[in-house]
Amino acid sequence: MRLVRTATAAGAATLLTAVLTAGLTGCGAELGGFGFGDDSAALGDPIRIGTTDKVTSLDPAGAYDAGSWALIGSLHQSLLTFAPGSSEPVTDAAETCNFTSRELLAYRCTLTSGLTFSDGTPLTAADVVFSFRRTLRIKAPTGPASLLANLRSVEARGATVTFKLRTPDATWPYKIAGGAGAIVSREHYEPGKLRTGGGVTGSGPYELRDYGRGRSAELVRNGTYRGALKVRNKAVTVRYYGTPDRLAAAWQDRSVDVVSRDLPPMDYQGLDAAAPSQDGVRVFAGPGTSTRSLVFSLRDSSPMSEPAVRQAVAAIVDRQALAGEARMHTVDPLYSLIPRGIVGHSTAFADRWEKPDPGAARRLLAEAGVATPVSFTLGYDSGGGHRRETEQLVAQLERTGLFRVGLKPVPWEKFTAQAFGGGFDAFTLGWLPDFPDPDTYVASAVSAQNAYRNGYRNDEVTRLIRATQQESDRAGAVADFKAIDRAVARDAPVLPLWQAKDYTLATDRISGIEGLVDASGAWRIWELGRD
């Protein structure tokens, strides 16, 4: 689950369906390393990408958001990665990986020989072990430690790394194929402290030439990269804009070649029917897999610790109005933890809260003995273009007379720490999949060690999550995913709001925009090229 402000790529739903149909690689089968195409394409000048993403940290142990992982995935290798257009993990820094038993409790990878970091030092199995232990030791509030919570131990023997898990987990290869599995150097990263500043020592497809926090990141092709990814350009410059309006202005005067995440909603209207190339602009538009939710804090001091209060909110929220009026139909209402088009999706929240019903909300609060209006604080990222949507959400709640909302806009750089630290009674947040499996939407959101750190724990949900993770044939987990959705719709610790559509714009000299974001959630800047 990565935290995000925007959408993902078209076709992702199909890919996610495929992973559940095909099932996970069987026990004893090995994932062999290979490259996707040769490196003979014309590379051209640096490609300029504009985005409203924010970078929390360049240290893999300290980042669990889309903007940070976009860079981390370009600068670091993981043992595994995802091939373009595929939902199955393949080897990257590893030569082979496989579960060692049918119990799915041990996973073993053998490292490719001859790998080096960008400074020339060897990348060894000891660095892999160091990286995983370090993330779990630091356990940064803004980091991916929650994604690795099932790891009991990790050991190296020669070039082989063995992961031992607390409970069976068929999704483990998927989890370590992204930023949570990024490998860092023991010589340049401290075991118990995050690395600060703009320095990066990695072995990924790019090196970081220059970094200005909140302004730009200049990436150049890493000539010593040995892995599965083909790099189609020689350099990429990512330019960061504080608001969608600023990004729109940069696109208008062509200060950028590519726009990815995220223009104002009105600028996307009508793009679904646009020709692939029109007026010198290439457009990629389609259904996405990123979602946005209202998350409640269940700590004792919050009014949201009372289930009836959360359920009352769920009974009032009008998703159709949010998607239509606030987001101008650039998103679709969502009534499930798992987006539409992905196996395991249901309509659990619509089934329980069929339509906005303030009367039902009033009855819920009265039966629970809750005095009204209920006052609570609602936090949101002030720079992500969500003000209109959040204000409309507040208006829906307050016009019933049942709630009084203290709105707290906070810059992204401070937002996640406050949200995860109990700084708000509720907050809105986007989610981009960590890997192509429904588990990324479910376990990350509602497990006992969920990424939101909102205090939710339900023994039934915990049991069901473990049951889904024990299914090596992922199609067998669908019934349990739907049961989780029903339980969460009842408890309402999280309220899904909408599912994004995906838009990428580029000048007509840029190719590869259809592969920039896919089901894996990666930001594949290496797929971009100049015609």
Side-chain angles (χ1 to χ4, degrees):
M1 103 23 119
R2 261 163 303 153
L3 318 178
V4 70
R5 304 167 159 196
T6 175
T8 59
T14 303
L15 295 174
L16 282 164
T17 301
V19 75
L20 294 182
T21 303
L24 190 70
T25 301
C27 298
E30 294 186 341
L31 302 172
F34 55 91
F36 309 122
D38 60 39
D39 291 333
S40 61
L43 300 176
D45 296 327
I47 294 173
R48 304 164 301 171
I49 306 176
T51 182
T52 57
D53 280 354
K54 301 293 184 182
V55 177
T56 300
S57 174
L58 294 178
D59 188 327
Y64 197 17
D65 58 274
S68 300
W69 273 29
L71 292 185
I72 288 169
S74 299
L75 300 170
H76 295 274
Q77 276 184 290
S78 298
L79 292 168
L80 304 169
T81 187
F82 293 95
S86 173
S87 55
E88 291 289 343
V90 297
T91 53
D92 191 20
E95 182 177 298
T96 60
C97 287
N98 61 276
F99 280 105
T100 62
S101 69
R102 293 188 178 278
E103 287 73 27
L104 305 178
L105 284 170
Y107 193 71
R108 181 172 296 159
C109 294
T110 300
L111 207 62
T112 298
S113 62
L115 296 178
T116 63
F117 289 106
S118 54
D119 67 341
T121 58
L123 189 161
T124 69
D127 291 299
V128 177
V129 171
F130 170 80
S131 301
F132 280 89
R133 289 178 177 174
R134 178 175 179 268
T135 294
L136 291 171
R137 176 179 176 180
I138 294 175
K139 204 173 183 179
T142 56
S146 62
L147 196 61
L148 305 177
N150 196 29
L151 180 61
R152 172 175 290 170
S153 67
V154 55
E155 304 290 341
R157 184 174 182 179
T160 299
V161 178
T162 300
F163 301 93
K164 293 187 178 179
L165 309 178
R166 300 179 189 280
T167 60
D169 189 357
T171 69
W172 185 252
Y174 296 78
K175 291 175 179 176
I176 66 173
I183 304 167
V184 301
S185 168
R186 290 172 294 158
E187 295 187 15
H188 296 281
Y189 291 79
E190 297 184 40
K193 182 180 178 182
L194 292 177
R195 183 172 177 174
T196 58
V200 172
T201 307
S203 62
Y206 292 90
E207 296 180 53
L208 187 63
R209 171 176 289 173
D210 188 58
Y211 178 68
R213 184 177 179 87
R215 299 190 306 275
S216 65
E218 296 182 15
L219 286 72
V220 296
R221 181 175 178 172
N222 178 6
T224 63
Y225 168 70
R226 294 180 59 203
L229 307 174
K230 174 184 176 181
V231 183
R232 302 175 185 274
N233 54 67
K234 70 177 184 181
V236 170
T237 297
V238 183
R239 295 182 175 175
Y240 298 100
Y241 297 90
T243 66
D245 288 335
R246 293 178 183 173
L247 177 57
W251 171 244
Q252 185 67 31
D253 66 19
R254 294 300 186 266
S255 297
V256 295
D257 302 306
V258 180
V259 169
S260 175
R261 304 195 301 235
D262 210 9
L263 294 175
M266 66 184 66
D267 288 16
Y268 289 128
Q269 287 186 299
L271 290 182
D272 288 314
S277 182
Q278 179 176 311
D279 298 326
V281 175
R282 285 179 172 169
V283 176
F284 183 76
T289 55
S290 91
T291 64
R292 192 164 183 83
S293 299
L294 176 62
V295 182
F296 299 109
S297 171
L298 275 65
R299 68 188 191 282
D300 291 341
S301 59
S302 172
M304 296 303 170
S305 62
E306 169 56 56
V309 176
R310 306 191 302 270
Q311 292 165 352
V313 173
I316 293 169
V317 171
D318 187 344
R319 294 170 178 78
Q320 294 287 345
L322 293 177
E325 298 171 18
R327 302 297 304 187
M328 299 184 179
H329 301 287
T330 59
V331 302
D332 294 317
L334 181 62
Y335 300 91
S336 170
L337 291 174
I338 302 170
R340 275 182 304 282
I342 299 173
V343 170
H345 169 77
S346 73
T347 56
F349 283 81
D351 296 341
R352 180 168 283 273
W353 318 106
E354 183 177 359
K355 60 182 179 179
D357 189 346
R362 189 176 300 278
R363 289 192 294 274
L364 282 165
L365 294 172
E367 290 170 2
V370 177
T372 57
V374 178
S375 296
F376 72 94
T377 57
L378 174 61
Y380 75 100
D381 166 28
S382 60
H386 299 295
R387 180 181 61 82
R388 181 174 177 179
E389 163 192 291
T390 311
E391 289 178 348
Q392 184 173 118
L393 178 61
V394 171
Q396 290 179 6
L397 296 171
E398 289 191 336
R399 65 173 167 246
T400 66
L402 299 176
F403 293 96
R404 182 179 295 118
V405 184
L407 200 53
K408 291 186 175 293
V410 177
W412 179 256
E413 293 79 2
K414 300 179 180 179
F415 175 75
T416 54
Q418 290 192 35
F420 301 158
F424 317 114
D425 296 311
F427 56 91
T428 55
L429 193 63
W431 193 259
L432 184 71
D434 295 315
F435 49 87
D437 188 278
D439 182 80
T440 188
Y441 297 99
V442 174
S444 296
V446 295
S447 68
Q449 294 177 305
N450 67 74
Y452 297 139
R453 297 174 174 84
N454 67 339
Y456 177 65
R457 184 183 184 93
N458 179 303
D459 291 342
E460 176 191 6
V461 169
T462 298
R463 179 186 63 78
L464 288 167
I465 288 174
R466 288 177 178 170
T468 66
Q469 293 173 340
Q470 292 173 19
E471 286 285 352
S472 57
D473 177 2
R474 303 303 286 150
V478 170
D480 285 338
F481 277 125
K482 292 186 176 183
I484 292 169
D485 236 358
R486 291 192 296 271
V488 174
R490 179 192 65 227
D491 293 349
V494 177
L495 191 63
L497 297 176
W498 50 255
Q499 174 179 351
K501 300 176 184 178
D502 178 65
Y503 301 92
T504 301
L505 279 65
T507 64
D508 61 0
R509 300 300 303 275
I510 302 298
S511 62
I513 65 170
E514 68 281 355
L516 183 57
V517 185
D518 66 9
S520 69
W523 212 38
R524 296 177 176 273
I525 60 174
W526 48 85
E527 293 289 329
L528 300 176
R530 287 190 183 275
D531 288 346

